[in-house]
Amino acid sequence: MPGKLCLVGTPIGNLGDISPRALRALEEADFIAAEDTRVTLKLLNHFNIKKPLVSYYEHNARSAGERILERILAGESCALVTDAGMPSVSDPGEDLAARCAGAGVELTAVPGPCAAVTALALSALPAGRFCFEGFLSTSGRSRREHLESLKGERRTMVFYEAPHKLVKTLEDLCAAFGPGRRIALCREMTKLHEEVVRSTLGEAAALYAETPPRGEFVLVVEGAAEARAEFGREEALALVERRRAEGMSLKEACRLTAEETGIKKNELYQWAINA
């Protein structure tokens, strides 16, 4: 009878965030597949867990994945972990999960910390709808095409970025979305020196051009504003008159109509008095 693959979420910084169920899953597995066995060994040693480790990361995912699947099909159970956070999220564990599912292997998951969701919560930006975009490509063309496809994206966007690429990424985000778009830059989350910088893309690009960034970053970027309907002069004046009929002053009616239509308040006022 085949074993199973368990995707186990591990802390993104503070070891106190690991759950009792995650510890139990690691203890009960026959072996553990880890992105970096040295990182995972520190975690296991901290909790006094002794289990065989196998290496499973981006550059050996194909060959190592085949060997792991063979062991599971032979009856062993495997716990899959990444260095930090939830396996399969911007992680080669995605391939192993798909490989096992395709072979009819049982998949289970132990939910745990996730940098993307943690940063979204800390960002103070709209979190009701969001999209996770992972790491931008290092290829100039692929990166431009990726950002071009997001220009009209109204959901809050979440990106991962390494410190040595941050300045270039902020410049590219500015070019794609404009310097006024809001952003939260989150680093060292759950650790002693946790930091969240909330600003605009332009301000962030200027800041980190002068201050060398340190640590892995999660970038939470405000989505595009809702497109306003096109209003002509007659339609705008009709809104003004409707508000005046409700008892508003001309000044207040023009102010509210300007907010709704995007037409300048003073222009609306002149149209109204000359109508």
Side-chain angles (χ1 to χ4, degrees):
M1 183 176 179
K4 64 181 180 181
L5 176 68
C6 184
L7 311 175
V8 182
T10 54
I12 60 176
N14 192 317
L15 294 182
D17 291 337
I18 198 163
S19 71
R21 185 170 168 234
L23 292 175
R24 187 166 64 250
L26 295 174
E27 290 170 343
E28 293 177 351
D30 292 310
F31 68 101
I32 297 170
E35 181 180 7
D36 187 328
T37 55
R38 296 165 298 181
V39 172
T40 299
L41 185 59
K42 292 178 182 178
L43 175 71
L44 297 180
N45 286 341
H46 182 83
F47 292 103
N48 197 31
I49 297 173
K50 308 295 182 184
K51 287 291 174 179
L53 287 168
V54 299
S55 177
Y56 178 80
Y57 61 101
E58 181 182 2
H59 299 297
N60 77 345
R62 183 177 180 84
S63 58
E66 290 175 356
R67 292 192 295 272
I68 292 168
L69 178 57
E70 288 173 1
R71 292 180 65 173
I72 295 173
L73 291 174
E76 292 185 87
S77 62
C78 173
L80 174 66
V81 298
T82 186
D83 287 352
M86 199 67 204
S88 295
V89 180
S90 196
D91 173 78
E94 176 184 9
D95 182 71
L96 182 59
R99 188 187 296 268
C100 288
V105 168
E106 179 185 357
L107 294 180
T108 61
V110 178
C114 175
V117 175
T118 304
L120 181 68
L122 288 171
S123 71
L125 290 171
R129 298 180 67 225
F130 69 95
C131 57
F132 175 65
E133 298 297 324
F135 289 94
L136 288 169
S137 172
T138 55
S139 162
R141 180 177 178 181
S142 295
R143 175 179 285 233
R144 285 192 299 272
E145 289 175 350
H146 188 169
L147 292 176
E148 183 67 28
S149 73
L150 294 172
K151 280 191 173 180
E153 178 58 69
R154 289 171 53 191
R155 293 172 294 179
T156 299
M157 297 168 281
V158 182
F159 300 87
Y160 285 165
E161 195 52 276
H164 64 284
K165 298 177 183 175
L166 180 66
V167 172
K168 179 65 168 67
T169 292
L170 289 173
E171 291 172 352
D172 290 343
L173 291 173
C174 272
F177 305 139
R181 188 80 68 90
R182 290 186 295 167
I183 181 174
L185 302 96
C186 307
R187 58 180 289 274
E188 298 292 291
M189 288 183 295
T190 78
K191 300 178 184 177
L192 180 62
H193 300 292
E194 176 177 285
E195 179 184 41
V196 180
V197 175
R198 301 179 185 90
S199 65
T200 63
L201 286 172
E203 291 169 349
L207 171 64
Y208 288 104
E210 296 293 330
T211 307
R214 295 180 179 179
E216 299 296 317
F217 281 78
V218 182
L219 311 178
V220 186
V221 182
E222 180 182 33
E226 182 176 356
R228 284 178 169 168
E230 291 295 326
F231 285 89
R233 173 173 173 150
E234 296 306 317
E235 292 170 304
L237 282 174
L239 288 174
V240 171
E241 288 306 315
R242 188 180 71 192
R243 288 187 165 112
R244 292 189 71 188
E246 293 171 352
M248 289 187 190
S249 68
L250 177 58
K251 184 177 179 180
E252 181 68 5
C254 288
R255 184 185 69 80
L256 291 175
T257 303
E259 291 178 0
E260 181 177 346
T261 63
I263 299 172
K264 292 181 179 179
K265 179 179 65 176
N266 291 341
E267 189 170 7
L268 280 169
Y269 187 86
Q270 288 300 320
W271 287 352
I273 62 176
N274 291 327

